[in-house]
Amino acid sequence: MTRFVCHAFDDLDVDLLYRIVTWREAVFVVEQECVYLDADGRDPQGWHVVGLDVDDALIAYARVLPPGTTYEEYPSIGRVLVVPAHRGRGVARELMLETLVATDALFPGRRVKISAQSHLVAFYESLGFELVGEPYLEDGIPHRAMTRTSAS
């Protein structure tokens, strides 16, 4: 069973922050072979949704950023990950549903925007996201911009 918690940056303890950074680097830099600086300066403005297993191991993560951080007029969700040992079990859907609840509570009535890897478009569409704009490359990976209307 996965327990989800949403933390403001200042509420993250050092151990949890270290686990988040470790998995973000493992997935986005090493696994996806994208050489970029993950510490982009946006974490302090964001909220961090973490999925923990029964032993408090981090198994899923997403970052929510306010409007004006990534996109001028939209809050955004990014850095979405599920650790490899927990993929294929529905954890990504649980994570995104929890993250959308948090985003809707933080920014009621606002459209949220994501930069989705193109192979995940159908997954995000199943969560209510719609494509906007043309395909583009981000760190050498095909992406699509998508938005979703807040449920609140």
Side-chain angles (χ1 to χ4, degrees):
M1 179 166 184
T2 308
R3 177 173 56 92
F4 290 93
V5 184
C6 181
H7 296 279
F9 184 78
D10 290 341
D11 295 333
L12 292 170
D13 66 47
V14 174
D15 177 65
L16 182 56
L17 179 58
Y18 186 79
R19 290 185 283 156
I20 290 168
V21 170
T22 299
W23 276 113
R24 283 181 15 181
E25 289 176 357
V27 170
F28 301 119
V29 177
V30 177
E31 180 182 320
Q32 295 182 358
E33 299 179 354
C34 294
V35 179
Y36 76 103
L37 186 60
D38 181 58
D40 60 5
R42 296 177 180 156
D43 289 317
Q45 292 88 23
W47 288 266
H48 305 269
V49 179
V50 294
L52 305 166
D53 71 8
V54 294
D55 297 319
D56 276 341
L58 189 141
I59 63 170
Y61 170 82
R63 178 174 75 174
V64 178
L65 295 174
T69 309
T70 301
Y71 304 108
E72 191 57 39
E73 63 277 0
Y74 300 100
S76 65
I77 298 170
R79 301 290 203 268
V80 177
L81 71 85
V82 174
V83 303
H86 292 273
R87 293 179 186 161
R89 301 178 185 178
V91 176
R93 178 166 300 284
E94 286 181 77
L95 170 65
M96 281 304 300
L97 290 172
E98 292 289 335
T99 303
L100 289 167
V101 166
T103 304
D104 290 346
L106 291 163
F107 308 104
R110 300 291 300 264
R111 284 186 79 73
V112 62
K113 189 170 185 178
I114 62 172
S115 178
Q117 291 184 8
S118 294
H119 73 279
L120 295 172
V121 163
F123 170 71
Y124 287 112
E125 285 177 331
S126 76
L127 295 166
F129 284 90
E130 300 171 348
L131 290 169
V132 294
E134 298 300 316
Y136 56 94
L137 288 178
E138 186 174 310
D139 298 315
I141 299 172
H143 278 72
R144 296 296 306 265
M146 302 183 82
T147 61
R148 178 184 180 275
T149 301
S150 170
S152 33

